[in-house]
Amino acid sequence: MYITFDFQSDVPLYLQLRNQVVIAISKGVLKPGDHLPTVRALSDESGVNAMTISKAYQLMKQEGYISTERRGGAVVSAGDKEIKVSKDTVNRLDLCISELRLSGMGEEQIVDLCRRLYREEE
Amino acid sequence: MLMKIFLWASIIWLLPFLFVVQRNEAKFKKNISIGVTLPQEAREDPEVQALLKKYVKETGIICIILGLAVIPCWFPKSYNWLLFAWMLWLDALIVFTQLPFIRYNKKLRELKAERGWNKKTSDNVQTEKVTVNISNISTPRWLSPWVFAGALLITLVPMAISSDLWPLILIFALTQIMFYLVYRYAFRTKSESIDDNVEITQALTQIRRSYWGRIWVKIAYATAIFSLGTLLLKNHGKLYFWITIIYSIYTLIVVASPEFKIRKAQEELTRNSGASEYIDDDEHWVWGMFYYNPRDSHSFVNGRVGIGSTINVARPFGKIMCIFTIIIMVLMPAFPFLLDWSIESKVVFVQEENHVTVSCGRSDYRVDLEHVAEVSLIDEYPEELSRTWGTATDKILKGNFSAKDYPPMQVCLNPGKTPYILVLTDNRKAYLFGTDDPLRTQELYELLKPQSIP
């Protein structure tokens, strides 16, 4: 699995890592029990500061996507584990729905679009 | 003459060694030749082949010229000018052997751009992005610090047995700590990725990591044995000289042998790479040899080929190291003169009650007159006089020495002015003194003679 860090992006590096791992888990590229590299190894490999990688791991741990190991590695959490949806995610979804509604789409159309995107993910 | 042979032997091997290393750069390893990443199709290209041949030839010519430039290094009679000549030659060797690399790296890059050989590369060429394959990343297993602690303990043994060796043993001990720190922290553990082939990446990474550990463990234990040898042979100048030579040769072999083995493995394992997608980070390598990547938060990075690591010149530490290296190289020929200038070389003496103190700078050598058994004036050094710890310049020789058939000897003299005074005491001590004025030396001799005891 490839992780790309874009240094020009407005999205902070730790969030780029977090987002790519979350997408990989949701698409099944990363499965429960899969190991992620240690903070230091990923930092060495990418050149990104170890503190940045650690921040992403901590965030994913808080959100329930991964559990961290003693030696700095991480494991993708089991599917049955409760994932906390952050307030930020709910707010972003709220904003998207508002934009779609203002563009003239009705409830059914929005739900259809969501369903289509969800199935594409799978 | 012995000093000239010693200097020649300890420096001259660098010339063939650097030639072999530089010639090896022309072979494709990890899709790289002379610091330029090229696709498979480019390897057999006649223009590329011609450039590589020219590069090897030019490197050879420069090495022959440098070999001839050694001749003037044999002429200086003074120790300082002799060192000056050799250090100047060393500077020339380091700089001139790199010139063909820089020249042909530039030519090869131009050819690469001209032929569009940088089109098939992966995202890694984009300086604003970095892509890593996390399935390829393996966590390195570091050797336990106790492995190095064992070597350190052996190194310290002579200090417990012979107190006069402590400054030298302390340096060995500090060197051992440095070996561990270099092993653990001056090595970037980045995977040796060259393309999508996971097996080859893992093989190259494993080889590099395992040899790195072996090198430092071997050097650490060789240094520990050398430290024991210092204890056993401290009074046998010639044998100690030979054990020093053996230690140096062994260290060289321990470092050079894995370097060439890894280069060979990199060459063979990546022989078929570069046909489709491959990693090309030429953008980050100035002249193909200096890593400059502000996006990389690490100061140490994998060397392009071989086992070593190099410095990221874009980081503050890299910049400091770069400036430091340039300063060292510029000052290297001036070192002997700077040493002379900074070291007090005037030998003075004073008699107080029943002892005489001979001093030079901050070094004092106190002789208890009641223990003096024999004093003689000599014009040549005792046989196999060898420095254990101290200073040796054109103007001053001082510190702890050993000599054949004598107990441990303390020396404080001006090597250019004879006679010297050899003092033997009844409590198994020996001293060798001499000032810059034969009349003052005679005066000191009178003071030290047994009958001068009040």
Side-chain angles (χ1 to χ4, degrees):
Chain A
M1 184 214 155
Y2 289 91
I3 298 278
T4 299
F5 293 97
D6 186 348
F7 295 97
Q8 287 282 319
S9 168
D10 291 334
V11 182
L13 290 172
Y14 81 94
L15 218 48
Q16 290 183 31
L17 173 59
R18 178 258 180 204
N19 292 348
Q20 289 176 74
V21 171
V22 169
I23 290 170
I25 295 171
S26 96
K27 285 185 174 175
V29 176
L30 285 173
K31 294 183 177 60
D34 278 358
H35 283 261
L36 293 181
T38 62
V39 170
R40 173 142 190 214
L42 186 52
S43 166
D44 271 351
E45 201 65 33
S46 60
V48 174
N49 197 299
M51 296 294 284
T52 307
I53 308 284
S54 178
K55 195 174 172 183
Y57 277 28
Q58 286 305 319
L59 179 61
M60 287 189 282
K61 188 187 170 189
Q62 275 175 19
E63 292 173 336
Y65 294 117
I66 60 167
S67 54
T68 50
E69 292 174 322
R70 253 188 331 142
R71 298 196 62 159
V75 180
V76 176
S77 296
D80 56 353
K81 198 162 181 183
E82 190 190 338
I83 306 276
K84 292 172 200 153
V85 179
S86 70
K87 203 178 167 192
D88 182 50
T89 307
V90 175
N91 287 344
R92 275 187 285 133
L93 185 61
D94 191 19
L95 178 65
C96 289
I97 292 169
S98 303
E99 284 173 358
L100 293 170
R101 195 190 294 160
L102 286 172
S103 74
M105 287 173 80
E107 186 182 340
E108 276 305 309
Q109 283 174 297
I110 292 171
V111 171
D112 279 348
L113 177 64
C114 287
R115 191 175 292 123
R116 188 160 55 82
L117 290 173
Y118 186 87
R119 284 175 186 164
E120 271 176 19
E121 281 264 302
E122 284 181 327
Chain B
M1 193 60 187
L2 191 69
M3 174 54 85
K4 286 182 178 178
I5 295 170
F6 183 74
L7 270 173
W8 180 84
S10 48
I11 299 176
I12 195 68
W13 60 269
L14 275 167
L15 179 63
F17 179 75
L18 277 182
F19 172 68
V20 173
V21 170
Q22 291 301 100
R23 191 183 59 178
N24 186 270
E25 295 288 350
K27 292 181 179 173
F28 277 91
K29 295 172 286 292
K30 297 160 72 180
N31 298 322
I32 300 166
S33 181
I34 323 181
V36 182
T37 312
L38 292 169
Q40 183 69 235
E41 62 179 288
R43 294 191 188 188
E44 298 307 320
D45 184 273
E47 265 191 80
V48 172
Q49 285 298 320
L51 281 176
L52 297 183
K53 272 183 192 160
K54 276 187 192 170
Y55 160 75
V56 173
K57 193 177 169 189
E58 215 164 276
T59 306
I61 291 169
I62 283 180
C63 285
I64 289 168
I65 295 168
L66 284 164
L68 294 171
V70 163
I71 297 167
C73 296
W74 285 87
F75 293 127
K77 286 196 170 71
S78 131
Y79 178 69
N80 286 356
W81 283 104
L82 189 70
L83 268 179
F84 169 81
W86 276 108
M87 292 301 116
L88 202 62
W89 184 82
L90 200 57
D91 268 352
L93 178 74
I94 294 165
V95 173
F96 288 114
T97 48
Q98 301 304 318
L99 293 182
F101 187 96
I102 295 168
R103 199 164 116 88
Y104 284 91
N105 173 274
K106 191 169 173 260
K107 286 188 177 196
L108 215 49
R109 272 180 197 236
E110 283 167 1
L111 186 65
K112 177 183 172 181
E114 201 180 297
R115 298 288 186 86
W117 280 329
N118 41 11
K119 280 180 185 167
K120 281 186 182 175
T121 53
S122 68
D123 275 352
N124 282 37
V125 288
Q126 299 173 39
T127 50
E128 307 308 338
K129 279 185 185 178
V130 59
T131 301
V132 292
N133 185 352
I134 62 168
S135 344
N136 260 356
I137 303 173
S138 60
T139 308
R141 286 184 195 153
W142 296 103
L143 293 168
S144 160
W146 289 106
V147 174
F148 289 86
L152 178 63
L153 283 175
I154 297 170
T155 304
L156 290 171
V157 168
M159 207 194 278
I161 297 169
S162 177
S163 58
D164 63 315
L165 285 174
W166 75 266
L168 193 62
I169 301 302
L170 192 66
I171 287 180
F172 287 154
L174 291 173
T175 312
Q176 292 285 19
I177 294 168
M178 192 197 74
F179 288 157
Y180 176 70
L181 294 176
V182 171
Y183 160 70
R184 186 64 181 79
Y185 299 106
F187 184 72
R188 175 79 175 265
T189 54
K190 190 176 180 179
S191 304
E192 293 281 278
S193 292
I194 48 154
D195 53 27
D196 286 344
N197 193 322
V198 178
E199 282 79 24
I200 288 181
T201 300
Q202 284 174 345
L204 290 171
T205 309
Q206 277 306 317
I207 291 168
R208 185 168 170 267
R209 284 179 188 170
S210 85
Y211 271 113
W212 180 254
R214 276 189 240 173
I215 286 175
W216 292 106
V217 170
K218 282 181 183 176
I219 291 180
Y221 279 90
T223 306
I225 292 167
F226 184 55
S227 174
L228 291 179
T230 306
L231 171 71
L232 298 171
L233 302 172
K234 64 175 181 173
N235 292 328
H236 302 82
K238 269 187 186 164
L239 276 174
Y240 188 64
F241 172 82
W242 283 111
I243 196 177
T244 309
I245 296 285
I246 291 167
Y247 169 71
S248 308
I249 293 171
Y250 178 77
T251 309
L252 174 68
I253 292 169
V254 164
V255 174
S257 162
E259 173 67 25
F260 287 109
K261 278 183 188 163
I262 285 175
R263 281 173 178 241
K264 189 79 186 159
Q266 288 171 340
E267 189 186 333
E268 284 175 3
L269 287 171
T270 63
R271 206 180 288 280
N272 299 319
S273 178
S276 54
E277 285 225 327
Y278 57 91
I279 287 173
D280 178 347
D281 66 346
D282 284 3
E283 295 291 315
H284 297 138
W285 293 86
V286 179
W287 297 341
M289 60 170 83
F290 298 112
Y291 185 72
Y292 185 92
N293 184 3
R295 302 288 187 202
D296 193 334
S297 68
H298 294 76
S299 297
F300 287 102
V301 293
N302 298 14
R304 295 205 89 180
V305 293
I307 194 169
S309 297
T310 186
I311 284 165
N312 182 1
V313 188
R315 308 298 307 170
F317 176 76
K319 288 189 175 89
I320 291 167
M321 285 306 287
C322 219
I323 294 166
F324 181 72
T325 308
I326 292 168
I327 291 172
I328 292 283
M329 281 185 65
V330 170
L331 289 182
M332 228 159 52
F335 273 149
F337 302 103
L338 287 173
L339 206 65
D340 249 7
W341 173 73
S342 64
I343 291 173
E344 173 61 56
S345 58
K346 179 97 176 156
V347 177
V348 292
F349 54 87
V350 60
Q351 184 183 16
E352 292 166 301
E353 293 181 10
N354 60 343
H355 64 263
V356 170
T357 305
V358 179
S359 310
C360 178
R362 277 180 288 178
S363 309
D364 294 329
Y365 303 90
R366 188 179 138 138
V367 183
D368 286 326
L369 294 174
E370 61 192 35
H371 288 296
V372 173
E374 194 184 326
V375 182
S376 50
L377 284 169
I378 54 174
D379 284 327
E380 284 185 358
Y381 296 144
E383 204 179 333
E384 292 187 26
L385 184 72
S386 163
R387 181 170 42 141
T388 313
W389 172 256
T391 308
T393 72
D394 269 356
K395 292 178 185 164
I396 187 72
L397 204 64
K398 66 176 182 180
N400 296 344
F401 284 65
S402 65
K404 194 181 177 187
D405 302 329
Y406 288 102
M409 189 174 281
Q410 291 200 301
V411 175
C412 183
L413 56 83
N414 182 323
K417 296 284 178 187
T418 52
Y420 313 125
I421 307 165
L422 178 65
V423 183
L424 298 173
T425 66
D426 57 14
N427 53 355
R428 284 200 49 78
K429 284 184 181 172
Y431 301 90
L432 191 64
F433 297 131
T435 70
D436 55 356
D437 178 1
L439 287 175
R440 286 181 61 245
T441 305
Q442 185 68 36
E443 198 183 318
L444 175 60
Y445 170 72
E446 296 298 333
L447 281 178
L448 290 166
K449 273 202 306 192
Q451 62 266 32
S452 65
I453 300 168

